[in-house]
């Protein structure tokens, strides 16, 4: 029997995970799924994830793939996997895909969302998923600044490391206010390390009146991380969708 | 300066607490609030809670009171308390009340809600707050059975212990379906130990077709715990409101 290629859509609460990527001795999402798969496949099985989310980052629509020679129908596989996985990771769906499909390499765009809880009062049921920011924020200015990131450019100033190929294209970058929450949505063909969190940190500086749109442009021009805002905490961030 | 009496409205995620009531060596909601208060008041301060929620049970509107001789305004006290408390307990409001107010003794009614997630698929963001029940449930039958609990009666059959005064009056007992969720709401002048969870366990038996309304009536008549359903898990339960 030939190996089949399976595409998984995965959702997880990142609170108690040291991120997506497998690391010895740590509880990671990839490691946890691979462990469950090893039980089903009877051997070590590698899972390829589309986005390597950091420790504490959540996902509603992470995508991954793995190859295995299984007799199970995909619905049976879905049930078996979810039965073996802990409650904070859920496989939302499984599809059989052509052998050439690679969740990471073939992703054409990714959508992330960042939630800022802009009110003094916060519910104990939401703190794991938002940045709590009780102080005043000028949402209109933040929304204007968010549009500046809508470009194809070198994002070095908004990342923690320097890459050989630091150009990314952002297709969507918008701020929405919904009751007490400020929600930032960004879609791009790819992301540098800490890119969303640094952009959010920069938007927060704009919202506080500590940075101007002009200074955002300057950070882009000089490619200088020191000119951007601080890196916002992981827990407000969620990987929403992967496009292929 | 005379001691003042403060009424607190409290919300908490019960997941990581061994219930409301202070216990040596355990993380409890009462113990956690008393610790924060000791820091503010400069001495041990007892907090009286309206409902002693069990380990794993959540609250959106628990009420408590304490007496202290403080110079702080109530808004300052609210901010100070929340700053000292962990993220999974939040004080929603503080009111000064007459010296005679006792959160437990003066409660005239309490409202609890129980959430049942009735779908195979469950989000990793909801598992802490619901009972996951993927199998079929006859919601109409459950709604009919829920009405049987709308009475003033001896609830011994629906509790884990036998009390001298086991009569309670239930003012509201209803089942609502909302997308994948079945929500049970109950309001009564008081609750016996595990009473809501045993009623929910009984309603689940009805929903599965394992118990009839007649058998519910029989459990009431014979006051026999063995005739009721099993105790439903704590995590689906939430204390919604206390009436005075």
């Amino acid at each position: 029997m030939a190996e089949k290629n399976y595409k998984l859509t995965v959702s997880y609460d990142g609170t108690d995970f040291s991120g997506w990527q497998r690391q010895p001795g740590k509880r990671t999402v990839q490691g946890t799924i691979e462990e469950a798969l090893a039980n089903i496949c009877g051997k070590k099985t590698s899972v390829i994830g589309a986005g390597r989310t950091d420790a504490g980052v959540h996902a509603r629509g992470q995508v991954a793939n793995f190859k295995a020679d299984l007799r199970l129908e995909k619905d049976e596989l879905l049930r078996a996997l979810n039965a073996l996985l802990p409650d904070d990771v859920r496989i939302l769906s499984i599809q059989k895909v052509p052998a050439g499909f690679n969740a990471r390499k073939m992703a054409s765009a990714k959508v992330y969302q960042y939630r800022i809880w802009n009110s003094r009062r916060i519910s104990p049921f939401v703190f794991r998923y938002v940045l709590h920011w009780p102080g005043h924020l000028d949402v209109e200015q933040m929304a204007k600044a968010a549009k500046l990131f809508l470009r194809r450019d070198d994002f070095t100033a908004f990342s923690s490391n320097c890459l050989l190929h630091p150009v990314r294209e952002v297709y969507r970058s918008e701020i929405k206010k919904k009751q007490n929450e400020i929600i930032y949505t960004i879609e791009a063909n790819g992301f540098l390390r800490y890119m969303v969190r640094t952009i959010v940190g920069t938007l927060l500086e704009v919202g506080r009146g500590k940075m101007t749109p002009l200074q955002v442009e300057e950070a882009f021009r000089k490619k200088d991380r020191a000119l951007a805002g601080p890196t916002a905490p992981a827990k407000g961030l969620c990987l929403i969708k992967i496009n292929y």
Side-chain angles (χ1 to χ4, degrees), chain A:
Chain A
M1 221 171 136
E3 272 198 339
K4 284 174 288 244
N5 194 4
Y6 295 93
K7 177 187 172 195
L8 308 174
T9 306
V10 188
S11 181
Y12 45 88
D13 178 328
T15 310
D16 298 329
F17 287 104
S18 303
W20 168 266
Q21 201 170 10
R22 189 192 325 117
Q23 293 173 67
K26 297 221 172 159
R27 185 175 189 261
T28 68
V29 184
Q30 185 188 30
T32 301
I33 297 175
E34 288 181 345
E35 218 173 278
L37 269 179
N39 274 308
I40 293 171
C41 303
K43 62 173 185 179
K44 240 178 113 165
T45 304
S46 288
V47 171
I48 298 161
R52 288 179 198 154
T53 54
D54 296 316
V57 174
H58 315 288
R60 291 190 181 271
Q62 168 77 288
V63 175
N65 77 293
F66 71 93
K67 293 183 176 180
D69 179 4
L70 295 173
R71 277 158 199 273
L72 291 169
E73 287 302 313
K74 70 184 169 88
D75 282 354
E76 295 172 307
L77 178 58
L78 182 70
R79 255 173 287 159
L81 256 175
N82 278 329
L84 289 168
L85 286 169
D87 291 326
D88 50 356
V89 197
R90 294 286 92 190
I91 309 298
L92 302 182
S93 65
I94 297 185
Q95 272 182 273
K96 277 191 210 171
V97 284
F101 178 83
N102 179 301
R104 189 169 60 81
K105 291 185 188 159
M106 297 177 73
S108 59
K110 292 170 196 168
V111 182
Y112 278 94
Q113 238 171 33
Y114 197 98
R115 295 171 66 185
I116 300 160
W117 191 266
N118 190 218
S119 157
R120 186 176 288 156
R121 270 198 212 169
I122 180 168
S123 146
F125 301 106
V126 91
F127 75 92
R128 292 181 181 87
Y129 314 115
V130 299
L131 165 65
H132 184 201
W133 190 284
H136 174 75
L137 289 170
D138 186 332
V139 181
E140 232 171 276
Q141 283 302 108
M142 290 172 78
K144 270 187 204 165
K147 290 200 185 120
L148 299 174
F149 293 94
L150 209 55
R151 65 212 278 169
R152 181 184 163 83
D153 209 334
D154 181 327
F155 277 83
T156 297
F158 303 93
S159 170
S160 62
N161 49 7
C162 294
L163 290 183
L164 205 58
H165 302 290
V167 173
R168 296 292 180 274
E169 182 165 2
V170 174
Y171 307 121
R172 185 177 166 199
S173 172
E174 61 189 26
I175 285 275
K176 281 211 175 136
K177 175 105 182 163
K178 205 177 141 187
Q179 288 165 322
N180 288 332
E181 249 183 277
I182 300 169
I183 300 164
Y184 175 62
T185 308
I186 183 169
E187 177 173 354
N189 61 355
F191 291 89
L192 306 179
R193 186 122 211 245
Y194 296 149
M195 182 168 138
V196 187
R197 291 162 58 189
T198 310
I199 292 175
V200 171
T202 303
L203 293 177
L204 285 166
E205 291 295 277
V206 172
R208 295 168 68 201
K210 302 276 177 191
M211 265 182 89
T212 63
L214 226 66
Q215 286 172 298
V216 174
E217 287 296 350
E218 196 191 353
F220 267 114
R221 211 167 47 241
K222 298 202 172 156
K223 305 178 185 31
D224 182 357
R225 173 67 187 83
L227 296 177
T231 308
K235 65 180 192 162
L237 186 59
C238 186
L239 172 53
I240 301 294
K241 196 171 177 245
I242 311 284
N243 292 334
Y244 290 96

